[in-house]
Each structure stands twice: as C-alpha cells, then as structure tokens.
Amino acid sequence: MKLEQQTINGIEIRIAENTDQASAVTAELIAEQIRQEPRSVLGLATGGTPMETYRRLIQMNQAGNVSFAEVTTFNLDEYIGLSPDHPQSYRAFMNANLFQHIDIDLQKTHVPSGIAVDIASECKSYESKIRSAGGIDLQLLGLGHNGHIAFNEPGSPGESRTLQVDLTAETIEKNSRFFESIDQVPRHAITMGIATILESRRIVLLALGESKADAVARMLRGLITSSHPASELRNHPAVTVVLDRESASKLGSTELSPKS
Ligand code: GLP
C-alpha cells in the first residue's frame, strides 16, 4: 500500500491513495491499539466516514485478528429525541455497523441517551462514566464540512464538556441524507465537548473525499480558532490525521478561502 506521511503544524498526516486504503489504515491503527491493550477504551464516531473502517474491523474480528471482548467504547454524540431503536439514532448505527458483528460486550458500549428526561444530568453522567473507565485511550473522529468535530459546531468553547447543542442549518441539511426528509432531522444533540475529546490519550481523525478538502486544509493550516473546532486538535500532542488523496488535495495551498 502506498502511503505518504508528513507532519503539518505538529500533526502527523497519513495520505492514502483512496478511501479504501485510508479506511484500512484507520482500522489497523484501532486494531493495533486493542492488540497492545486488550482492555482499551475507544471513543467512536458515526457518519458516512467511518463505515468502511468498521467493516474492516468486523472482518479482522471475524478472522480472529483482533478481539473486542474486553474493550469499552464511548460514542461521541447522539441526536436528542431519537430513541436507541430509532433507525437513525447513533446507537442504532453503531449496533448495525459494528457492535452486532463483533465479540464486544454490549454492556461495555456507551452512547449518550437522546431520550433522557434530564439531558443535563445525562451529560454529567456520561462524563463520569468516561472518567470511571479510566479515560479514552484512542478517539476516532470524523470531520464536519464546517470543521465540526462530534457535534461541536463552529463557535463551541474549547473548554466544553459533554453538553446539549443546537445543530447548525448546514449540519441539519448535510445529515438529512440519512433521513426521509429534512424535517425529520433532530435540531439538537448531546455531544462530548471539545475538552472531553482533547483529553483522549490519542486521537485519530479520518476525513475522506473532495468535499472535506477545505475543512482539512483549515484544520491543519488555518488559524487555531473556535470558529473551526477541528483546528483545536492542534493543541493535542498525539493526533494522527488519515486522509485520501481527495481530502488532502488542498493541503498544498497556503491560501485558504475565508469562507471555507
Ligand atoms: C456528523 C457527526 C460527526 C461526523 C460528521 C461528518 O454530524 N456528528 O461525528 O464526523 O458529521 O459526517 P460524515 O462522516 O457523514 O461526513
């Protein structure tokens, strides 16, 4: 596999030839973490981006190359108002795209509850569950087109902890592809905060496709600013960014369009 490696502003970048290879690299980073520490605590992401990574982890698990038997997981976020069995809930996504197919103990998988009566106390309890598990060893992240990580939209404070957020019109529109109509997309979510994410011991961010190229360039080469939350990852000492050629296509340019 042809893989280009470089460091930009202190962040290790791996650029793969295509989406499949980038997903293979990401799956291998996660599998290595588990092989080194079978009781690893993983932070997991949803969305289109990690689906192929999960498919590869399922294959590795079924081939006996990695076991999730002692792994604990915490997902980044959940839509408010969707029950765990709603097909578009992130809990349902995780069950369908990973958990159901691997040897993980479902009791050790955590996704915030989008139907908790008291959302503020659900957020607090999620933070304390992460703490009691010993913190997150490896956090997998996707990247929003507007630079969001998890559901921390532009403008989110860097010191935030798991919290309720309002989704931007752009995110609602982008995520409407998973729903029958845009009206069905929840307007609010629970998300790990930026500070929660930055406390992970290691972070692997995967971004795929041309549509993410601007967000990737701003994350790595733009200002570190809360208006592009992913840029705050540059304050973390152990981040690996995995890209395909297309998402890396704007890294060469020093000029970043102000609106990208
Ligand atoms: C969603 C999720 C994020 C995800 C991002 C990108 O709204 N909350 O965790 O990283 O948007 O999604 P996708 O991978 O589908 O492009």
Side-chain angles (χ1 to χ4, degrees):
M1 184 187 306
K2 214 175 133 216
L3 198 64
E4 186 184 318
Q5 300 210 20
Q6 51 177 290
T7 302
I8 299 178
N9 282 327
I11 298 210
E12 186 200 330
I13 322 290
R14 301 194 190 174
I15 304 172
E17 278 304 305
N18 54 41
T19 295
D20 271 5
Q21 288 188 5
S23 303
V25 168
T26 308
E28 193 47 47
L29 289 171
I30 295 170
E32 264 170 34
Q33 166 68 41
I34 300 170
R35 289 185 201 116
Q36 271 170 28
E37 174 46 68
R39 299 171 67 96
S40 286
V41 178
L42 300 180
L44 296 178
T46 51
T49 307
M51 287 178 78
E52 175 62 18
T53 298
Y54 292 155
R55 207 182 58 77
R56 284 170 182 271
L57 285 171
I58 292 167
Q59 276 178 349
M60 285 184 208
N61 181 241
Q62 292 180 352
N65 293 331
V66 66
S67 170
F68 291 78
E70 295 178 83
V71 166
T72 298
T73 66
F74 287 91
N75 262 78
L76 287 166
D77 44 17
E78 180 61 285
Y79 288 116
I80 290 182
L82 299 194
S83 66
D85 54 6
H86 186 290
Q88 300 312 333
S89 72
Y90 284 166
R91 162 53 80 179
F93 175 101
M94 291 309 301
N95 288 350
N97 289 292
L98 184 64
F99 299 150
Q100 265 167 20
H101 310 283
I102 57 176
D103 62 345
I104 200 161
D105 173 359
L106 269 187
Q107 300 295 327
K108 292 187 185 150
T109 68
H110 306 273
V111 181
S113 168
I115 51 165
V117 181
D118 182 345
I119 296 287
S121 78
E122 171 67 12
C123 294
K124 269 199 168 161
S125 117
Y126 204 64
E127 284 282 326
S128 62
K129 281 184 205 157
I130 295 173
R131 224 169 299 124
S132 326
I136 292 170
D137 293 306
L138 184 154
Q139 175 67 59
L140 175 65
L141 292 178
L143 176 64
H145 293 83
N146 60 6
H148 74 228
I149 45 174
F151 269 135
N152 295 285
E153 298 278 26
S156 307
E159 63 278 9
S160 60
R161 299 246 151 221
T162 302
L163 74 167
Q164 170 169 349
V165 291
D166 302 334
L167 304 182
T168 61
E170 187 185 354
T171 297
I172 291 166
E173 197 271 314
K174 290 272 189 266
N175 288 4
S176 65
R177 68 190 193 281
F178 296 112
F179 293 80
E180 272 170 31
S181 83
I182 195 163
D183 305 332
Q184 294 180 3
V185 186
R187 269 41 185 170
H188 311 283
I190 296 184
T191 180
M192 279 188 204
I194 308 245
T196 320
I197 293 169
L198 291 180
E199 250 174 35
S200 312
R201 285 182 270 282
R202 181 166 188 205
I203 295 174
V204 175
L205 182 143
L206 175 65
L208 302 172
E210 212 267 323
S211 71
K212 298 287 172 76
D214 279 320
V216 166
R218 275 194 75 186
M219 164 175 73
L220 294 168
R221 294 218 189 268
L223 292 175
I224 298 180
T225 161
S226 64
S227 62
H228 195 75
S231 65
E232 307 207 32
L233 296 175
R234 285 170 27 210
N235 292 324
H236 189 282
V239 178
T240 304
V241 171
V242 183
L243 305 172
D244 59 6
R245 285 258 156 246
E246 292 182 339
S247 62
S249 61
K250 296 199 174 161
L251 279 178
S253 67
T254 42
E255 256 182 63
L256 301 171
S257 93
K259 285 187 87 186
S260 65

